[in-house]
Amino acid sequence: MYRFQDVARPAATAAKHFVGAPMRMASSICPGEYAAPSVETSVPGPKSKKLLADLSQIQQSGSVQLFADYNKSLGNYLVDVDGNVLLDVYTQISSMPLGYNHPDMLKVLDSDENKRAVVNRPALGVFPAADWPVKLRGTLMSVAPKGMDSLTTMMCGSCSNENAYKNMFMKYQRDKRGGTSDFTDLEKESCMINMPPGAPKLSILSFKGSFHGRTLGVLSTTHSKYVHKLDVPAFDWPMARFPEYKYPLHENLRENEQEDERCLAEVEELIEKWEKKGNPVAGIVVEPIQSEGGDNHASPYFFQKLQKIAKKYNAGYLIDEVQTGGGPTGKMWCHEHFDLETSPDIVTFSKKMQTGGYYLKSDFLPDLPYRVFNTWMGDPTKIVLLDAVLKVIKRENLLSVVEKSGDVLMSGLRDLEAEFPALINSTRGRGTFITFDAADAKLRDDIVKRLLTKGVQSGGCGVVGIRMRPALIFQPHHAHMFNDRLRQVLAETK
């Protein structure tokens, strides 16, 4: 079986160079967008630094990079308070599907009906509006992964995963009871003091390098950076190795195939080990691309076999699409690239989907109310925005735009790898969800900083990765601009 292939096709395209002030240009997808970046001050500039000093008196602000002017930001360009116009290939950590101030999204707030949805925010689990079922069918369910017929809305990615884990635990225990939720008195009493059998010893298997959120439960399945986890108690849950491939893929087929088999074998070993410990694995959680952990990819074969292992041990199979969902890989859902035998049991989402939540097979739904519940259960105003997003994706054929722009990025980056082999390597990605590695962590941080001086906002991931997370409206000419400016940075590297 031919298991590995380059995950984005390089396209033969001529380089284009853009210089000059931030003039506006015509665009059917984003009218009036800036023509090119423009850097007037250091980034962060003096106004950002002053605001940072003010904010730091109120809260811990060490993560703040700059202060934005969201009145002037437009399309693929983020404008800061110092007037710097930045080509944004990071887009609020992959959460801006149509870029900044898209007219279709602004227009929905002109409606009095939608304004009332903002003012009268309901507790959706108990008092939804009459149009809530219609809105869900017209938006989230209209793009549901094939085979997934149920939905739970939530606020964010972390709480989506957090509650999805509960669904897997409840399904696992319900199966042990023969398909019912007839709780014994002992179960009811013991759960109140956090003891079995009401609070059973169960686990979720995750992977080295994964990121599934920062709330208490999901933090036990996050393994990307120590800063997320230090000082916080964790569950005794198994962590398997995620494949670490050698690039380019086509030159390392045998070794990468062996890596798949090693990692899959370890998954089974850990499931059996935790079963013997009396802490059985009720679910497996995996990202289709490990994002925060370094944009680590695995082959379709790996995900297919992982699904079979989950079924073998009656564990739920949860694919976390918080970063990858909503189109950035050229498909609405990244796992669609994997040709799975059946749909996953649960798919979580947030970011580009505007709201948090998860799709699930109906047999993973609780059979009693209030078992997965909070006051808001999502936000109807985000569904209003998502409706506009989905209409633009369809009207402008944005998934095709993602593929074309991704081809330009990949082709240019591979050319730069060949030109500067001592500086960057291991370009990988799907669609515009792309990363390349710097030779070391110090150089990675330096490249990200110097891209800012060229008017490009990017981001790091893992130890040495530089990741691109542009909006779906990111065009081939934006990709050329990024590649040109990256080449300038690399050529100036000593």
Side-chain angles (χ1 to χ4, degrees), residues 424-461:
I424 64 171
N425 60 79
S426 303
T427 297
R428 56 203 181 274
R430 295 184 183 275
T432 55
F433 202 98
I434 294 173
T435 293
F436 60 94
D437 288 346
D440 56 53
K442 182 179 178 182
L443 177 60
R444 188 274 302 277
D445 295 343
D446 182 57
I447 290 173
V448 170
K449 288 178 182 177
R450 287 192 291 128
L451 279 171
L452 272 176
T453 70
K454 307 293 184 183
V456 176
Q457 174 70 43
S458 61
C461 62

Side-chain angles (χ1 to χ4, degrees), residues 174-466:
R174 189 168 67 237
D175 288 348
K176 287 180 65 175
R177 296 188 189 97
T180 72
S181 292
D182 294 330
F183 309 117
T184 66
D185 288 341
L186 180 59
E187 285 176 318
K188 295 175 184 177
E189 294 166 4
S190 60
C191 77
M192 299 305 293
I193 55 172
N194 304 329
M195 294 294 291
K201 290 193 69 176
L202 297 174
S203 59
I204 301 289
L205 184 142
S206 55
F207 290 88
K208 179 182 178 182
S210 61
F211 182 89
H212 299 292
R214 295 179 175 87
T215 51
L216 189 60
V218 293
L219 200 56
S220 288
T221 58
T222 286
H223 312 289
S224 55
K225 293 183 177 70
Y226 67 82
V227 70
H228 304 321
K229 296 173 66 73
L230 272 172
D231 298 329
V232 181
F235 291 110
D236 178 22
W237 290 355
M239 178 190 71
R241 288 173 53 201
F242 193 80
E244 296 181 11
Y245 294 152
K246 288 193 172 183
Y247 289 84
L249 295 176
H250 66 274
E251 293 180 7
N252 297 278
L253 292 177
R254 176 175 292 183
E255 185 159 342
N256 290 339
E257 287 176 358
Q258 292 172 345
E259 176 71 357
D260 270 352
E261 299 298 348
R262 283 191 293 267
C263 293
L264 290 165
E266 184 181 30
V267 169
E268 288 212 66
E269 290 169 5
L270 288 169
I271 291 175
E272 292 173 359
K273 180 179 178 180
W274 256 252
E275 178 72 33
K276 291 176 182 176
K277 290 173 60 172
N279 193 0
V281 171
I284 297 173
V285 61
V286 66
E287 297 161 273
I289 301 172
Q290 283 192 334
S291 304
E292 175 77 7
D295 267 31
N296 306 312
H297 288 252
S299 68
Y301 171 84
F302 174 82
F303 288 98
Q304 292 162 11
K305 292 290 287 186
L306 188 63
Q307 183 177 47
K308 291 181 185 298
I309 292 171
K311 288 183 179 179
K312 177 180 176 181
Y313 293 96
N314 194 35
Y317 188 44
L318 190 165
I319 295 188
D320 177 352
E321 295 246 26
V322 168
Q323 280 223 24
T324 51
T329 68
K331 293 184 182 293
M332 200 67 190
W333 305 104
C334 185
H335 74 264
E336 293 174 353
H337 290 282
F338 302 151
D339 193 25
L340 297 176
E341 186 175 61
T342 63
S343 67
D345 295 314
I346 301 178
V347 173
T348 52
F349 58 83
S350 189
K351 293 191 181 284
K352 281 185 170 64
M353 297 299 288
Q354 304 301 288
T355 185
Y358 50 99
Y359 300 100
L360 65 167
K361 292 179 178 176
S362 57
D363 55 341
F364 278 78
L365 283 171
D367 55 357
L368 294 173
Y370 293 102
R371 302 212 71 198
V372 174
F373 183 85
N374 57 52
T375 299
W376 282 329
M377 296 292 292
D379 182 348
T381 62
K382 303 304 181 186
I383 299 299
V384 168
L385 294 175
L386 178 62
D387 182 55
V389 169
L390 295 177
K391 287 175 179 175
V392 174
I393 289 175
K394 183 177 181 180
R395 184 185 75 216
E396 304 291 347
N397 197 15
L398 290 186
L399 297 187
S400 175
V401 172
V402 166
E403 290 182 345
K404 292 173 183 176
S405 299
D407 286 349
V408 174
L409 279 173
M410 290 288 281
S411 177
L413 286 169
R414 285 174 175 156
D415 288 345
L416 291 173
E417 273 191 33
E419 188 175 356
F420 302 97
L423 301 180
I424 64 171
N425 60 79
S426 303
T427 297
R428 56 203 181 274
R430 295 184 183 275
T432 55
F433 202 98
I434 294 173
T435 293
F436 60 94
D437 288 346
D440 56 53
K442 182 179 178 182
L443 177 60
R444 188 274 302 277
D445 295 343
D446 182 57
I447 290 173
V448 170
K449 288 178 182 177
R450 287 192 291 128
L451 279 171
L452 272 176
T453 70
K454 307 293 184 183
V456 176
Q457 174 70 43
S458 61
C461 62
V463 178
V464 294
I466 296 174

